[in-house]
Amino acid sequence: MINRHKMTLVVLMTFLFNVVVFAAVNPRASQYDDRIGFVTYNPNDVFKIKAKNGYVTILEFDKNEKIIDGSTGFNDGWEIVQSGNIIHIKPKPYISEFAEDQDGNTIKQKSIISPTKKDWKTNLFIRTDKRLYVADLTLSNQKTQYKISFKYPKQRRQEIINQQMKRKAAKKQQNIIRDLNRVTVPKNWNYFMKVNKNSGDITPSFTYDDGTFTYIGFDTTKTFPTAFLREGDQESILNTHVKKIGNYDVLVIHKTAKLILLRSGSKLVGILNKGYGKNPNYKHKSTNNANVKRKIINAN
């Protein structure tokens, strides 16, 4: 008797397990109108479409999704039309041009078979450029959903994360630009210039530093030169950016130096920093603030 009960329980559990495994997902009804449904997309789920004879059912996918193709196991009994990210589905009568006579012989005879719940039950596959959708397609005489829209919570979460990252990156970039273009407080104006012959048009109007960057200003009549660091007999190009201060275009050099050379072709202006190293209490920084970090890259 006990064995019979155990056997019955095993059979029942197996049956229930199979029912769960093969259960299709019914769309959730909208809180405003139950003729509108929603399905949370899962590539491992089969969703259920209950259509009605004489009605159109619309499937709405992601707005950025492109439908490639769709087919059913009974294409003669279903009409599938795609438009943008939407597919229209409706049952249609099956037209047969052949039949059998009373002796079993095939004869040409046109007949129209109206959709029935039993014969029109099939499956549906829809392929897009992003996903594959699988559905059970059936007829129903009851109230049906006119539109079924798909939701993509994982994709939406990733989109939110990407938007947040973009906003953070944009904010960081704005802070860097603000910091590079902020008005600084001059600490050292003690600069001396030596202008070579025919080099007047690259001669700056002023030069100062704030203890971190060197600022060389030019009025609108001057030509912008290239700045070089002179150390002994060696010259190396300096990292710079340009900013506007009042009516002057300012070449901002990303350090302070004892001797800077401005060159443009054969033109040359030497700028000597007579205040260089005269403030032993000054702690050198690579940039004006913590938002901008200076990094020297070895091009070799």
Side-chain angles (χ1 to χ4, degrees):
M1 191 72 177
I2 295 176
N3 291 337
R4 286 183 179 179
H5 285 169
K6 286 184 177 179
M7 184 177 296
T8 302
L9 182 60
V10 170
V11 171
L12 179 60
M13 290 179 65
T14 303
F15 171 75
L16 291 175
F17 176 76
N18 288 335
V19 169
V20 173
V21 169
F22 295 107
V25 176
N26 284 300
R28 304 185 313 276
S30 167
Q31 60 178 325
Y32 304 105
D33 193 323
D34 59 6
R35 289 172 295 183
I36 304 297
F38 300 93
V39 175
T40 299
Y41 177 76
N42 184 332
N44 298 314
D45 278 342
V46 176
F47 67 97
K48 188 175 291 186
I49 303 173
K50 294 180 180 179
K52 191 173 183 179
N53 194 20
Y55 290 80
V56 174
T57 300
I58 293 176
L59 304 182
E60 182 182 43
F61 305 103
D62 178 18
K63 62 182 179 181
N64 297 318
E65 201 161 4
K66 181 180 179 182
I67 298 168
I68 297 175
D69 55 42
S71 61
T72 75
F74 183 27
N75 286 330
D76 290 332
W78 294 92
E79 181 180 287
I80 300 177
V81 179
Q82 68 184 64
S83 176
N85 67 320
I86 291 175
I87 279 187
H88 303 76
I89 300 173
K90 70 176 182 178
K92 64 179 181 179
Y94 174 66
I95 300 175
S96 175
E97 296 185 353
F98 297 94
E100 291 184 353
D101 60 17
Q102 59 184 359
D103 298 325
N105 299 316
T106 300
I107 59 174
K108 189 169 184 179
Q109 179 181 332
K110 186 174 182 179
S111 60
I112 300 176
I113 304 172
S114 296
T116 63
K117 185 175 181 180
K118 177 182 177 181
D119 295 329
W120 262 248
K121 182 177 181 180
T122 185
N123 60 350
L124 169 68
F125 290 90
I126 299 167
R127 184 167 61 100
T128 73
D129 60 341
K130 294 183 178 180
R131 303 174 181 92
L132 177 67
Y133 299 81
V134 184
D136 279 336
L137 187 55
T138 60
L139 277 181
S140 175
N141 296 325
Q142 305 299 320
K143 192 174 183 180
T144 60
Q145 290 172 326
Y146 297 163
K147 185 179 79 167
I148 299 173
S149 299
F150 285 87
K151 301 295 183 182
Y152 311 89
K154 290 183 179 179
Q155 174 183 310
R156 181 55 185 160
R157 283 196 295 271
Q158 188 60 49
E159 288 175 351
I160 293 173
I161 291 172
N162 291 341
Q163 289 171 1
Q164 291 173 342
M165 292 177 65
K166 285 182 180 179
R167 283 196 293 267
K168 286 181 180 179
K171 182 68 174 177
K172 185 176 181 181
Q173 186 67 21
Q174 289 173 1
N175 290 339
I176 291 173
I177 293 172
R178 180 200 63 197
D179 293 332
L180 287 175
N181 289 285
R182 72 184 181 89
V183 176
T184 59
V185 178
K187 291 186 176 181
N188 173 32
W189 288 92
N190 194 9
Y191 282 85
F192 173 80
M193 285 189 299
K194 184 177 187 310
V195 182
N196 276 19
K197 186 178 179 181
N198 299 322
S199 301
D201 61 344
I202 66 167
T203 304
S205 301
F206 60 82
T207 302
Y208 68 85
D209 69 68
D210 60 5
T212 303
F213 285 179
T214 303
Y215 300 80
I216 304 177
F218 299 85
D219 63 38
T220 55
T221 65
K222 301 298 176 61
T223 301
F224 244 59
T226 302
F228 293 85
L229 173 65
R230 179 78 178 203
E231 293 178 308
D233 295 331
Q234 302 296 319
E235 289 185 21
S236 58
I237 194 166
L238 287 162
N239 292 325
T240 64
H241 71 274
V242 178
K243 64 183 294 185
K244 191 79 173 177
I245 299 179
N247 295 324
Y248 295 95
D249 293 320
V250 179
L251 182 66
V252 183
I253 298 173
H254 298 180
K255 66 177 298 179
T256 58
K258 187 173 182 179
L259 180 59
I260 295 172
L261 300 181
L262 304 180
R263 293 186 180 275
S264 178
S266 61
K267 300 172 184 177
L268 173 64
V269 173
I271 299 178
L272 177 64
N273 182 356
K274 291 189 175 182
Y276 186 77
K278 289 188 176 182
N279 183 5
N281 296 322
Y282 179 75
K283 185 178 180 181
H284 180 74
K285 300 178 295 181
S286 63
T287 64
N288 285 317
N289 56 74
N291 290 326
V292 181
K293 301 295 183 184
R294 180 170 178 261
K295 183 178 181 181
I296 300 175
I297 299 175
N298 188 352
N300 297 325

